[in-house]
């Protein structure tokens, strides 16, 4: 694409992002370190027709995943019919027995889904991962677009991407739709959480209260917000940005200091909506990912519109044989890890590392999946004033209320290292805005 006026403002925009605290934090070796999330002003551009197909495929996938969650914590028909093995459900780190028989308000489990995709050099999109617990990242393209518009308004007159400022409206609608009555709050673990900027930004944009666990309390089967003057106000919906296990020390991890005692009992009685619902982790387990195309066929009686990356489960003897025979051409992923951790490339290991990993794989086959390495497309980025190609993925956001809606934007993450396929912010990646063009 031609050089945009916008590109001249890259440094200025990054300075503003730093001033506004657009950072993310990571814990490493028990130390919290906060760093900038570098922004690249060359946008990813997706045409109207191409995005329409993505939109259909993403809606289809999220609908099937919601039906799976309802089934798995209910009748488990998909297990009885032999579509998904029982071992893959109950051995999943995301499965929570406490959620058995609990149906959230309006029957919605994943209100905000972050689906990670890459575009192959064959021009096809492949889904790499489903994030249905606490997916983050929408705030970054929102604020970046805001600053880009200010820096170069003419650019947006010439190219006219879909306006991405409606994310807050979509999120508020998803929260209000399931709210049985009361205030809506965004629950943050606090200032030292990796995505704290996002929590505060989304609270500002949606008009929801930003609260910590100490500001909420349960009384007589209802949840209340304690305001600064000590008044109690009923809460009907909690967009929680803390993990399942820390949500309620009385029902989950008893050592949690950031949760709200008995909040899960209020949820179980239908008196508060929790977005996303506890227990969703069973559906975004990397091992369960293998079965999502089958879920689409099973629950919706449709062919999947979007493809998974070719994936093998060492749990199955036939797949284990394939993995051992083609080890050097595969990427191996630990199903319990996230953020780019637990990912190893067969061809990058020494002989000893391979031997040790294969021994571990044979001991714990349920713990890993193996995937073909997709040669996904490079996108241009500015690196010290030069335009260079780097690997990039896309996190698309699907919000569920009356029906699923795909946000016409998204978080494009890119690797800052030549030839690296790891794009996660925790691994040093940067981000771009994603422009979806009008028809």
């Amino acid at each position: 694409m031609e050089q945009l006026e916008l590109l001249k403002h890259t440094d200025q925009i990054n300075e503003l992002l730093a001033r506004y605290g657009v950072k993310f934090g990571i814990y490493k070796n028990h130390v919290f370190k906060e760093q900038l999330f570098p922004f690249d002003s060359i946008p990813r551009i997706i045409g109207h027709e191409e995005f329409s197909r993505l939109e259909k495929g993403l809606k289809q996938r999220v609908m099937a995943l919601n039906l799976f969650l309802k089934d798995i914590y209910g009748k488990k028909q998909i297990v009885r019919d032999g579509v998904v093995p029982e071992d893959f459900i109950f051995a999943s780190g995301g499965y929570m027995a406490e959620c058995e028989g609990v149906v959230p308000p309006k029957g919605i489990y994943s209100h905000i889904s972050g689906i990670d995709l890459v575009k192959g050099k064959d021009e096809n999109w492949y889904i790499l991962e489903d994030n249905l617990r606490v997916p983050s990242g929408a705030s970054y393209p929102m604020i970046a677009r805001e600053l880009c518009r200010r820096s170069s308004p003419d650019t947006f007159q010439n190219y006219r991407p879909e306006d991405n400022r409606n994310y807050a409206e979509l999120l508020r609608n998803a929260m209000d739709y399931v709210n049985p009555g009361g205030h809506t709050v965004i629950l943050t673990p606090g200032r030292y959480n990796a995505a704290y900027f996002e929590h505060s930004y989304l609270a500002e944009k949606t008009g929801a209260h930003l609260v910590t666990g100490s500001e909420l309390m349960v009384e007589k089967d209802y949840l209340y917000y304690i305001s600064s003057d000590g008044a109690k106000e009923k809460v009907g919906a909690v967009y929680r940005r803390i993990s399942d296990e820390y949500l309620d020390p009385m029902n989950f991890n008893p050592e949690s200091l950031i949760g709200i005692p008995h909040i899960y009992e209020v949820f179980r009685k239908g008196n508060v909506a929790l977005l996303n619902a506890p227990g969703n982790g069973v559906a975004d387990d990397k091992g369960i990912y293998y079965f999502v195309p089958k879920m689409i066929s099973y629950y919706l009686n449709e062919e999947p519109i979007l493809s998974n990356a070719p994936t093998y489960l060492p749990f199955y003897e036939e797949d284990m044989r394939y993995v051992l025979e083609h080890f050097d051409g595969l990427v191996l992923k630990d199903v319990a890890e996230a953020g780019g951790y637990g990912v190893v490339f067969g061809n990058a290991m020494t002989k000893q590392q391979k031997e040790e990993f294969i021994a571990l794989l044979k001991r714990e086959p349920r713990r890993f999946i193996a995937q073909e390495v997709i040669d996904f497309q490079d996108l241009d980025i500015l690196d010290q004033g030069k335009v260079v190609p780097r690997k990039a993925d896309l996190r698309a956001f699907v919000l569920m209320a009356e029906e699923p809606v795909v946000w016409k934007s998204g978080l494009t993450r890119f690797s800052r290292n030549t030839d690296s396929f790891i794009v996660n912010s925790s691994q040093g990646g940067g981000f771009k805005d994603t422009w979806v063009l009008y028809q």
Side-chain angles (χ1 to χ4, degrees):
M1 61 185 292
E2 65 186 71
Q3 290 293 312
L4 302 173
E5 172 68 21
L6 178 60
L7 306 193
K8 300 174 186 175
H9 299 278
T10 298
D11 291 342
Q12 175 194 348
I13 293 166
N14 272 294
E15 286 169 13
L16 286 170
L17 290 169
R19 191 181 306 169
Y20 291 145
V22 184
K23 301 175 182 179
F24 68 92
I26 54 173
Y27 283 97
K28 199 168 186 179
N29 300 324
H30 305 291
V31 175
F32 178 79
K33 182 183 177 185
E34 197 169 49
Q35 60 195 65
L36 295 174
F37 194 9
F39 171 69
D40 183 76
S41 58
I42 304 176
R44 161 175 252 152
I45 297 179
I46 303 175
H48 175 84
E49 203 171 302
E50 182 177 17
F51 190 80
S52 292
R53 185 172 185 278
L54 276 179
E55 196 172 26
K56 288 175 187 169
L58 290 164
K59 286 181 181 180
Q60 179 193 58
R61 193 171 180 99
V62 168
M63 286 175 69
L65 285 163
N66 267 283
L67 289 167
F68 170 73
L69 283 161
K70 184 177 182 180
D71 186 16
I72 227 61
Y73 287 118
K75 295 180 179 178
K76 300 176 183 55
Q77 200 62 46
I78 199 168
V79 174
R80 289 181 183 151
D81 290 340
V83 179
V84 179
E86 192 174 43
D87 291 1
F88 268 80
I89 304 301
F90 304 116
S92 170
Y95 167 75
M96 301 182 73
E98 299 89 344
C99 299
E100 284 290 338
V102 180
V103 179
K106 303 284 179 73
I108 298 174
Y109 291 78
S110 188
H111 312 78
I112 304 102
S113 305
I115 311 297
D116 294 344
L117 311 96
V118 293
K119 188 175 183 180
K121 290 185 176 174
D122 61 3
E123 297 297 321
N124 290 317
W125 286 90
Y126 296 91
I127 291 179
L128 290 186
E129 197 168 292
D130 305 294
N131 298 281
L132 310 180
R133 298 181 226 198
V134 193
S136 64
S139 63
Y140 300 113
M142 286 172 73
I143 192 168
R145 179 84 63 90
E146 190 179 320
L147 297 176
C148 287
R149 281 183 180 279
R150 266 190 246 164
S151 301
S152 180
D154 288 348
T155 297
F156 293 88
Q157 288 295 320
N158 296 334
Y159 283 87
R160 297 185 69 241
E162 293 271 5
D163 195 337
N164 75 350
R165 285 174 285 196
N166 69 334
Y167 184 84
E169 180 187 336
L170 296 175
L171 178 57
R172 183 75 207 205
N173 186 46
M175 296 189 289
D176 289 347
Y177 182 68
V178 293
N179 187 331
H183 284 290
T184 296
V185 301
I186 295 179
L187 173 62
T188 177
R191 172 70 185 80
Y192 292 105
N193 182 262
Y196 181 74
F197 161 75
E198 175 155 295
H199 307 165
S200 57
Y201 185 77
L202 292 177
E204 176 193 338
K205 294 297 182 184
T206 60
H209 292 301
L210 181 67
V211 301
T212 60
S214 62
E215 296 171 276
L216 298 176
M217 66 169 288
V218 170
E219 187 175 283
K220 295 180 180 177
D221 295 335
Y222 288 94
L223 182 68
Y224 293 92
Y225 163 63
I226 311 301
S227 63
S228 55
D229 61 2
K232 287 191 304 188
E233 299 177 30
K234 187 179 167 188
V235 173
V238 179
Y239 178 21
R240 47 100 180 193
R241 298 301 298 255
I242 68 177
S243 301
D244 289 355
E245 60 268 32
Y246 298 111
L247 185 61
D248 182 346
M250 307 305 291
N251 284 278
F252 305 124
N253 185 341
E255 296 181 5
S256 173
L257 300 177
I258 58 175
I260 304 99
H262 303 293
I263 189 175
Y264 189 67
E265 289 151 40
V266 180
F267 170 70
R268 196 157 41 201
K269 290 178 180 177
N271 294 335
V272 72
L274 297 177
L275 298 84
N276 283 332
N280 276 10
V282 69
D284 70 10
D285 179 302
K286 288 182 176 69
I288 293 294
Y289 159 93
Y290 174 90
F291 298 99
V292 179
K294 297 183 180 190
M295 290 178 202
I296 292 169
S297 301
Y298 181 79
Y299 292 117
L300 304 177
N301 197 27
E302 297 172 358
E303 285 300 309
I305 295 167
L306 297 172
S307 300
N308 278 10
T311 304
Y312 308 95
L313 295 183
F315 175 83
Y316 292 129
E317 192 176 324
E318 183 181 347
D319 282 18
M320 175 69 88
R321 277 199 306 272
Y322 183 91
V323 170
L324 297 180
E325 289 168 8
H326 300 85
F327 193 82
D328 285 359
L330 300 172
V331 55
L332 293 304
K333 297 180 180 180
D334 189 323
V335 300
E337 296 283 0
Y341 295 101
V343 177
V344 292
F345 290 83
N347 61 6
M349 295 186 196
T350 64
K351 185 180 177 184
Q352 183 180 346
Q353 286 172 332
K354 283 180 192 175
E355 289 172 355
E356 290 173 355
F357 190 92
I358 287 169
L360 175 61
L361 189 65
K362 288 178 177 177
R363 282 198 309 275
E364 302 181 51
R366 169 63 177 85
R367 181 176 163 185
F368 298 94
I369 64 169
Q371 292 180 324
E372 303 285 354
V373 179
I374 294 175
D375 191 9
F376 55 97
Q377 290 185 5
D378 299 296
L379 295 181
D380 286 342
I381 71 162
L382 281 175
D383 186 14
Q384 298 180 343
K386 295 180 181 177
V387 176
V388 295
R390 292 290 185 269
K391 297 295 181 192
D393 77 351
L394 171 67
R395 174 164 290 179
F397 291 89
V398 185
L399 293 101
M400 179 77 85
E402 297 90 341
E403 58 182 11
V405 177
V406 181
W407 184 37
K408 290 183 177 175
S409 185
L411 176 66
T412 291
R413 301 175 297 182
F414 63 87
S415 171
R416 295 166 72 203
N417 302 317
T418 310
D419 300 326
S420 173
F421 284 70
I422 306 294
V423 300
N424 304 74
S425 55
S426 55
Q427 305 291 308
F431 81 100
K432 292 173 172 286
D433 192 2
T434 305
W435 292 4
V436 176
L437 298 185
Y438 281 109
Q439 191 166 359

